[in-house]
Structure formats: C-alpha cells, structure tokens
Amino acid sequence: MPAVLEIDRGRILRQARRINGDAPVIAVVKNDAYNIGLPLAWRTFREAGINAFATTNLKEAVAIRELDPDSLVFLMNPSTEFSVIRDHRIEMTLPSMDFYVRHQHDLSGIRVHLEYRNLLRRSGFADPEEMKRVLEEGAVEVSGIWTHFAFADEPGAPEHEQEKEDWLAVLAELSPFVQHLPFIHAQNSASYMQDGLLPGHTHIRPGILLYGSRPYASLEESAVPNVVTVRANVIQTLPLKQGESSGYSAAFRAEEDCTVAVCDIGYGDGVLRARARHDVLINGRRYPVAALMMSHLLVRVDETVKAGDTVHLYGDDIRVDRFTALGVGANSEQMSALNRMSLETVIKE
Ligand SMILES: Cc1ncc(COP(=O)(O)O)c(C=O)c1O
C-alpha cells in the first residue's frame, strides 16, 4: 500500500462520547473536520450523541445540513448569502453592530448568535451596550451568545484570566436577556480542559480535543488519545560514500559513508518542512530525516532497515502534539497539511 493516513474512528467515537457526556458539545468541524473528513466526523459525533456542529465556511455548513436535518448548524463567520442560510436553517454569528444595522431585514427568519469580540479582536461586538440594544429591539431572532478566547491555549496567561473575567461580566450584565438562550458558548478545547463547563454556559465548543491532540503540552497524553497515524514505506536503501549526494541539487550530501532509506512520502503529501527536522520511526527506532522532496523522504538509517519497512511520521509513539511542543506548528496546522488526495485514507473502527 502507498503512504497512508490512518484515522482511528473508534477512539474518536469514545472520546466524543466521554466529553459530550460531561458537557454538551458543539463540535467544531471546520476545514473538513480538521482534515479527517467532514462526513466521517459528523457520523462519528452523531453516534456519540453530539447534535450541534460549527464551521466557519458556508459550503461546509450546507453540507452538514444536507447530512443532518435536525442538529444545530452554526456558521461562525458571517455571510451575506441570506437565502442559502435561511433555506438550510443555518444559525449564524451576528458579528457587529454595523452588520446588524445593514442587514437586520435580510436576517428575517435566520437565528443568530451574538458574538463578543473580547481579546481575540477577530470579529464580534466590542461593546455589551450594543449587544443589549440588539436584544432589546427584538428585530432579529437571537438564539445564542458566544465568544472565542485568544489566550486559552496558554494556561496561566494573565490575558486569559482577563478575557474570561470580561466575558463572564458581559454575560452577567446581559443575563436578563440571555440566560434562557439555548446556546451560550465560549470554550475551545484548552479552556474546557482547564475550567470544565463555565457557569452559565450551555455548551463547550471544542475542536482538537475531538481529533486526538492535546491543546497544551502539560496535559497528560492519556486525556486525549491519538487518532492519527501517517506511515510510508522504504522503497530502497542506498549506500552513499563520503561526499556523494542524493536528491535534487544535492538535497543531502554524505559527510561520511552512510546509508539512506528512500521513502514514498514527501511535502506533496503534506509533510511540513518543520516536521522533517525531526526523526521518523522505523521498526520502533528513531532515525533522522536527511532530505524532504515532493514525493520522497530520505532518512539516514542503519543496516537493520530494509526495503519494504514501514516508516512512521505520526502515530501513538510519535504524536502530532509532541511535534507541536517542539515548534513544528499548531496541531491543526500539521493535520490540515496532510494531503488526503495523495495519501491513502484508512479508517480504523
Ligand atoms: C471560533 C472557534 N471556536 C472553537 C474552536 C476550536 O478550537 P480548538 O481546536 O482549540 O478546540 C476554533 C478553532 O480554531 C474556533 O475558531
């Protein structure tokens, strides 16, 4: 088999069931469910009892609705495609006073969640007084209120304490208007792991916790079982004499006599250059990457490695989140890069 992306659906199901059993989940399924595949994620989360989904992309929101006539589909970015949103019963963020003033008539028949800007400063109302005005005027149907924390992934950051305090104060101030809303949500994976469900909230809104990576390094690995394995094959091993090179423009030049394994995976399959600065696992042993090409990887190996051996880039003993801690890139960045067109996807039940 060519290089493979294996997704452990059984573990995703058990993790989703456990978390949703402790706190109701709005599952973040944006960017093709962190690249594990939206239909697979939706089916697994539904089986786990989750009935609320969020994405930033209207096309994905429509796709979820087409799979699922009953669940909440929440669009976290605003869109002006009002008839599509209305026809698919998508609930959408209300991102600003300006959007409200311009579009309150267009929003007729669409349920919105008021967004508080907070320290992320990406979108959302900056001033709770404006949110109060929207609630008092009753010109749009508000079914939720939400925010997104900018510093939750840095446990102990004073900014996170600040943004949490500000948000809880906003909820308290607007409480007479919002306390009975069906959707009050703020917490990503890191926030939930630190604080549990915050008071006055109906749901958490995690992503990565459902996809097998720890949102911050001080969490026990057992709290978030790995679900992603990426493995390739040694095509052949190649002895190189000191000074000889291999790869385009001498991508690797031997400083001493050595052996390299040529493997059938490369950056075209989504292996980040930053990931290639770290080892791979072959037969349970670690070996350094010598060069990364589009469809090939050169690994410096010893005489025990043979053509046909399996090369692990990610897996239970070589987890995505460990490379995050090493500075390779966010968990989601590493996962998003994986090329599901070229890698063979295998689902483990
Ligand atoms: C608005 C919003 N909420 C929730 C999440 C989920 O975050 P995480 O994957 O850290 O749980 C994201 C992800 O980036 C997001 O953009």
Side-chain angles (χ1 to χ4, degrees):
M1 208 187 278
V4 161
L5 165 63
E6 184 181 274
I7 296 164
D8 194 325
R9 193 185 96 85
R11 286 192 189 165
I12 297 176
L13 177 61
R14 286 191 289 282
Q15 175 80 338
R17 215 175 245 149
R18 190 175 69 75
I19 293 168
N20 193 53
D22 290 342
V25 165
I26 300 174
V28 176
V29 291
K30 63 183 190 172
N31 297 98
D32 207 19
Y34 288 45
N35 205 23
I36 72 153
L38 182 55
L40 174 80
W42 169 78
R43 174 166 69 87
T44 309
F45 295 154
R46 277 301 265 154
E47 202 178 326
I50 293 171
N51 59 5
F53 300 89
T55 177
T56 43
N57 175 291
L58 181 58
K59 197 172 97 187
E60 287 186 339
V62 168
I64 304 164
R65 175 57 75 227
E66 283 170 352
L67 289 165
D68 186 339
D70 303 319
S71 292
L72 165 76
V73 181
F74 177 53
L75 183 60
M76 300 190 285
N77 277 347
S79 163
T80 52
E81 300 218 31
F82 300 105
S83 53
V84 177
I85 294 167
R86 193 177 300 109
D87 291 350
H88 292 85
R89 290 174 292 110
I90 291 164
E91 305 197 10
M92 186 176 75
T93 186
L94 186 59
S96 65
M97 197 62 191
D98 180 54
F99 192 96
Y100 169 73
V101 169
R102 272 190 294 136
H103 295 299
Q104 56 178 281
H105 299 296
D106 302 316
L107 286 166
S108 162
I110 295 172
R111 286 156 60 112
V112 295
H113 297 200
L114 296 188
E115 179 179 358
Y116 179 55
R117 182 178 306 176
N118 220 332
L119 293 187
L120 186 61
R121 299 194 187 94
R122 194 161 66 180
S123 66
F125 288 74
D127 181 355
E129 281 307 313
E130 291 183 341
M131 299 168 90
K132 197 175 192 170
R133 196 183 121 194
V134 173
L135 289 158
E136 278 173 342
E137 285 183 3
V140 291
E141 188 182 351
V142 177
S143 57
I145 183 165
W146 73 295
T147 193
H148 189 42
F149 296 131
F151 295 95
D153 291 16
E154 297 169 42
E159 293 92 340
H160 182 52
E161 292 312 309
Q162 187 63 55
E163 65 187 348
K164 202 162 62 179
E165 204 176 294
D166 288 353
W167 165 242
L168 292 174
V170 168
L171 282 187
E173 190 180 332
L174 300 178
S175 163
F177 302 95
V178 302
Q179 62 182 324
H180 298 300
L181 292 179
F183 300 105
I184 302 174
H185 50 106
Q187 298 174 267
N188 70 350
S189 302
S191 166
Y192 171 62
M193 291 309 274
Q194 288 163 75
D195 290 327
L197 184 66
L198 285 171
H201 288 62
T202 61
H203 292 76
I204 57 172
R205 203 182 56 245
I208 200 66
L209 195 53
L210 304 169
Y211 301 112
S213 289
R214 293 164 299 159
Y216 50 91
S218 58
L219 270 178
E220 294 284 331
E221 288 187 350
S222 58
V224 193
N226 171 57
V227 305
V228 170
T229 298
V230 174
R231 56 174 182 263
N233 307 285
V234 175
I235 301 172
Q236 65 170 317
T237 57
L238 203 72
L240 291 177
K241 294 254 177 272
Q242 184 186 26
E244 283 184 338
S245 71
S246 174
Y248 298 110
S249 307
F252 173 68
R253 189 178 297 280
E255 286 177 5
E256 60 203 347
D257 292 0
C258 65
T259 304
V260 291
V262 183
C263 312
D264 60 352
I265 193 166
Y267 60 76
D269 302 294
V271 179
L272 297 177
R273 195 156 290 281
R275 166 66 189 85
R277 292 197 190 104
H278 301 276
D279 295 349
V280 297
L281 271 185
I282 306 176
N283 304 327
R285 289 171 71 172
R286 289 178 169 269
Y287 296 97
V289 174
L292 174 69
M293 290 168 273
M294 187 173 181
S295 318
H296 297 96
L297 193 68
L298 299 183
V299 181
R300 268 201 67 165
V301 293
D302 54 29
E303 68 293 343
T304 64
V305 173
K306 301 275 175 283
D309 284 351
T310 302
V311 185
H312 280 92
L313 285 99
Y314 292 115
D316 288 354
D317 299 321
I318 193 160
R319 296 169 51 120
V320 171
D321 53 20
R322 290 192 199 160
F323 294 103
T324 304
L326 292 170
V328 166
N331 295 313
S332 52
E333 187 177 342
Q334 294 177 69
M335 289 179 58
S336 299
L338 298 173
N339 184 350
R340 298 207 10 258
M341 288 295 284
S342 60
L343 294 169
E344 183 88 16
T345 304
V346 172
I347 309 298
K348 192 170 166 193
E349 291 292 336

